Amino acid sequence: MIIPINVQPVGSTSRTFPPQLAQFGTDELVLIDLQGFLDVEGDKQGQAIGKLRVDDGTKPTLLIGHHLLEGKLVNLPKPLAVMRRASVTDAEDMTGHGSPERSASTSWNIVAVVKRKMVFSTRPMPMVGRVTPVSSDGRPPKSRG
Amino acid sequence: MNEYTLNFSSSSEDNGKFKLLELPPELCKLVESAINSNTSPSLMIKGQPNEDAVLCTADKTYTVRSIVLSNSMVVATPPAASSSEDSEDSIEIRDQLNEILELVPTVPKLHKLESLLRGQEYDDGDIDDMYDDDEQRPTKRWRYTYEDVSGSIQASEVELQRGLKERRILTLNGQLRPLRPSYLTTILELLLNTLVSLSLPHTAAPVDRLVDTLAQAYDIQRDVSTQVMSWFGTILSDSWDMDVDAVVKEVGLGLLRPHKDGPIAEAEFLQKWRKAVGDTFEARVSLQLLSGNYLSDRSLTQEVVQLTYFPSSALPVEPAARFTDLFLTRDRWTADDLAPFLADIVVDSKDRDKLLLKYARAVTGSEGVWYMARAKYNR
């Protein structure tokens, strides 16, 4: 069995991150390393998780509900290729210039090569009484007490 | 603006669609240049369901290993262009991963070629092709083509082609046919003789003339002799520059091959070998050429060095099994003696040292370092 891997720098999003975020990855993709797993009750689609701030150049903080996480910029020991499985329509497109029987049903596209990541490795700090609801446009929480 | 809203993607289509692949430096360069020039890096994952997957570039093979992370890696991108509101300052989570794929350089899994092509050998007087069109033989034997093999052998294109060449596998009418070693020796000796009898220079021999002579005088298929010549030298616009060492080595191997169980005295062997390659090339005869294919033993009673045919290609591929075999053959080895028998299963000398550390015990004696088996169960 042969599974081809192609390069396809992000096609679906034409937007790019502002430089402040792009420094943590690429213009189009950032890896965030979290302890634990992000989940919400019910339908996840389009749900807001929290607020991400970047202060003093490279100090990210992530506010999720009443918890504040402090993160940092970490250079990866080895670059990571982010691959996305090609959807069926992509695979059909490919048969145009590739050999159809080889690509079979699966193929992967490298959408980005990242050399840094945003790491949140500390325990969350509870933010009592000064939490800004996600929806409101009030003052953002101070990252330092 | 330094605050962003982190959202789950507005569609779940990307969940589980992402993977992270750790890139060794040389592979990273390859991928980045492919991205910049918008070309295909020709990477592929190869393997049968029961094999460990490997990733092949055009000329290298890597084993793919999964590393499970205790943290999760969140793949975040700007929101899709279609979503409307305040997308300037929002980030979308496309997927969450708990696994990284690590790539480790590995030797191509070419040994499968032998079992795959067993029974397909091409030999002297092979009349199979003549019968192929014959109605009387409806059951044509299954033959492998290059494409068949390329799909099932875990090796890159370059490595596979080198492997076919090293294993002396012919491509006849698109079918892969290993050339029987004894027949190969015959062809090479005939080539050497023809060069001498027609007094042709071995650095620039006319291909057509050699092929013609071999076909007319000895009934050797043109296709076969041309491919043999391309294995043992370079063909440039109808002129064959013979790789003398390669030819001399192969002739030597042919002579050594019968001595698998009954050893031959070194002096006698060298004499036979020199005779076989002829006056012109006898100076090139050297046991060094056959390293990794023989064992030499100094017998206790006579001052004669005996050679035994012992090809590393016939040893197991798995390091543990290979070492067991080697230490069954001999109790102890010097590093120099051992190295040729590990060359085909290691990527470099660092890799070899790692194996030696794991499977062998180094003992420093008066004559230098000896490698011995790690555990002795019976004694």
Side-chain angles (χ1 to χ4, degrees), chain B residues 89-100:
Chain B
D89 50 355
S90 78
I91 304 171
E92 264 191 17
I93 292 180
R94 306 284 290 273
D95 202 358
Q96 294 189 69
L97 304 165
N98 286 298
E99 183 193 60
I100 284 183

Side-chain angles (χ1 to χ4, degrees), chain B residues 92-125:
Chain B
E92 264 191 17
I93 292 180
R94 306 284 290 273
D95 202 358
Q96 294 189 69
L97 304 165
N98 286 298
E99 183 193 60
I100 284 183
L101 300 176
E102 185 195 46
L103 297 176
V104 187
T106 186
V107 287
K109 310 270 188 291
L110 291 166
H111 51 95
K112 241 178 86 182
L113 272 175
E114 270 126 53
S115 53
L116 212 58
L117 296 175
R118 191 165 293 146
Q120 317 257 331
E121 284 90 352
Y122 178 88
D123 202 351
D124 190 11

